[in-house]
């Protein structure tokens, strides 16, 4: 570089991730007010970490761009877990039921779903009511009935778990009863590990929301309002992205976040000499 020396690196220690997000948002707010033409990068090790900073920036009404993926609540696995939660709150929610009836795969194919839809239309029922009717009347093949029975039992368990006083525990039950984590671990792929981290971050987000006094309904409403953006905009003043995505880019100010055991370096690369 021929730009000479810049400012010294500041090392800030905070109590937890939420406090880190609020600190970064506060610092960014000050920078934006004092420097009208500045660019700011918030860089983290894994995409799951974006959630805290997205939340903090929204609370501070600071616009940002997220690069290298979808906004936290727009990620497929997060939408799946939230659909389980919505269905547990309202078993007549056909949209949520359709999304997760075979996620993860449990042997309920399109033909079974179409049969349920047809029955629901004819009887003026919801899909959940059509499932219950099929289980009572035994109108499908044994394999389909077994899969529907398992799904029915899963949702009945989640309806009971919905009453848990700790919202984080409820979302942990979703991951356990639905076997979402089990299915992702069985894939044994790097992207599966990232999805597991995202789902675990959702449990943390739910627990934090509960600590702030939010109800489950309020938490789900908040998640539904979040929109995604995944394109890099050179004119954006605040950009969230992973360190790997930031190679070759420059910002006036940079926040390197999440420097803690198991995250940086990541626990999966600790034994890798090349890292």
């Amino acid at each position: 570089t021929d730009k000479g020396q810049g400012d010294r690196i500041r090392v800030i220690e905070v109590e937890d991730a939420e406090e880190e997000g609020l600190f970064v948002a506060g610092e960014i707010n000050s920078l934006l007010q004092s420097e009208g033409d500045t660019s700011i990068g918030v860089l983290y090790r894994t995409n799951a970490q974006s959630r805290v900073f997205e939340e903090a920036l929204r609370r501070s009404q600071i616009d940002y761009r997220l690069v290298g993926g979808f906004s936290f609540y727009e990620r497929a696995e997060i939408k799946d877990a939230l659909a389980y939660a919505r269905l547990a709150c309202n078993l007549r929610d056909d949209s949520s039921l359709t999304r997760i009836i075979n996620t993860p795969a449990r042997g309920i194919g399109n033909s079974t779903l179409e049969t349920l839809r047809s029955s629901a239309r004819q009887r003026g029922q919801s899909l959940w009511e059509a499932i219950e009717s099929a289980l009572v009347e035994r109108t499908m093949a044994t394999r389909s009935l077994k899969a529907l029975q398992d799904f029915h039992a899963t949702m009945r368990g989640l309806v009971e778990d919905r009453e848990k006083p700790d919202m984080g525990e409820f979302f942990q039950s979703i991951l356990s009863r639905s076997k979402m984590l089990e299915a992702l671990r069985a894939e044994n792929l790097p992207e599966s590990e990232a999805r597991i981290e995202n789902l675990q971050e959702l449990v943390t987000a739910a627990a934090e929301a509960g600590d702030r006094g939010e109800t489950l309904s309020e938490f789900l409403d908040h998640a539904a309002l979040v929109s995604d953006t995944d394109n890099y905009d050179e004119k954006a003043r605040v950009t969230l992205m992973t360190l790997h995505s930031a190679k070759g880019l420059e910002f006036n100010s940079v926040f390197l976040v999440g420097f803690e055991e198991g995250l940086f370096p990541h626990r999966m690369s600790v034994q890798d000499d090349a890292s």
Side-chain angles (χ1 to χ4, degrees):
T1 178
D2 58 3
K3 292 186 177 181
Q5 291 185 335
D7 296 334
R8 287 181 176 273
I9 294 174
R10 295 170 59 200
V11 179
I12 307 297
E13 183 176 356
V14 294
E15 185 68 25
D16 53 30
E18 186 170 17
E19 184 178 333
E20 182 178 34
L22 293 174
F23 171 80
V24 170
E27 291 289 299
I28 289 176
N29 194 40
S30 297
L31 286 169
L32 292 176
Q33 290 181 9
S34 62
E35 303 176 32
D37 196 30
T38 193
S39 62
I40 301 168
V42 180
L43 313 183
Y44 36 77
R45 177 62 179 80
T46 68
N47 278 312
Q49 293 170 262
S50 75
R51 196 271 307 176
V52 171
F53 303 98
E54 289 183 65
E55 298 277 1
L57 292 173
R58 285 193 202 100
R59 284 184 218 163
S60 300
Q61 297 183 319
I62 298 173
D63 293 333
Y64 64 89
R65 296 291 181 269
L66 189 143
V67 177
F70 291 103
S71 179
F72 183 79
Y73 291 103
E74 284 294 316
R75 294 166 193 171
E77 62 276 8
I78 300 301
K79 283 188 169 184
D80 291 341
L82 292 172
Y84 273 102
R86 291 191 180 95
L87 187 58
C89 292
N90 175 18
L91 291 171
R92 296 178 63 86
D93 184 343
D94 286 356
S95 177
S96 293
L97 187 149
T98 300
R99 182 178 182 91
I100 48 89
I101 191 170
N102 199 45
T103 303
R106 53 174 59 91
I108 302 176
N110 289 333
S111 60
T112 299
L113 185 55
E114 283 306 314
T115 299
L116 291 171
R117 283 181 175 139
S118 177
S119 174
R121 284 194 299 268
Q122 291 174 8
R123 302 185 184 200
Q125 295 178 328
S126 66
L127 286 175
W128 177 260
E129 290 168 327
I131 289 173
E132 294 195 315
S133 295
L135 292 176
V136 170
E137 298 167 8
R138 313 293 294 177
T139 54
M140 294 185 182
T142 301
R143 175 183 287 183
S144 296
L145 288 173
K146 176 62 169 62
L148 289 174
Q149 191 171 35
D150 289 346
F151 176 68
H152 186 272
T154 294
M155 291 311 308
R156 277 298 176 194
L158 289 178
V159 169
E160 294 179 6
D161 292 343
R162 187 189 65 195
E163 304 303 321
K164 289 179 181 290
D166 188 320
M167 206 189 308
E169 288 184 13
F170 171 57
F171 275 88
Q172 191 64 58
S173 293
I174 290 175
L175 304 187
S176 176
R177 289 187 183 274
S178 70
K179 298 184 179 178
M180 292 177 68
L181 293 182
E182 186 178 318
L184 287 169
R185 290 186 180 115
E187 292 177 357
N188 196 30
L189 298 170
E191 54 265 35
S192 300
E193 178 65 25
R195 292 183 181 123
I196 289 171
E197 291 176 347
N198 288 336
L199 289 169
Q200 292 170 336
E201 182 63 24
L202 178 63
V203 173
T204 299
E208 291 175 353
D211 291 342
R212 292 194 298 269
E214 287 185 31
T215 65
L216 176 57
S217 177
E218 289 170 338
F219 179 69
L220 294 175
D221 286 345
H222 166 76
L225 292 174
V226 178
S227 60
D228 66 300
T229 175
D230 61 355
N231 295 318
Y232 180 64
D233 179 358
E234 290 185 356
K235 297 180 180 179
R237 300 177 74 191
V238 181
T239 302
L240 306 184
M241 63 201 312
T242 65
L243 284 159
H244 290 95
S245 299
K247 291 178 180 177
L249 301 178
E250 293 184 356
F251 302 95
N252 297 120
S253 300
V254 175
F255 294 85
L256 299 176
V257 298
F259 272 59
E260 59 185 82
E261 189 73 23
L263 271 180
F264 201 100
H266 195 272
R267 62 181 181 277
M268 294 182 66
S269 62
V270 170
Q271 304 301 324
D272 185 355
D273 292 338
S275 64

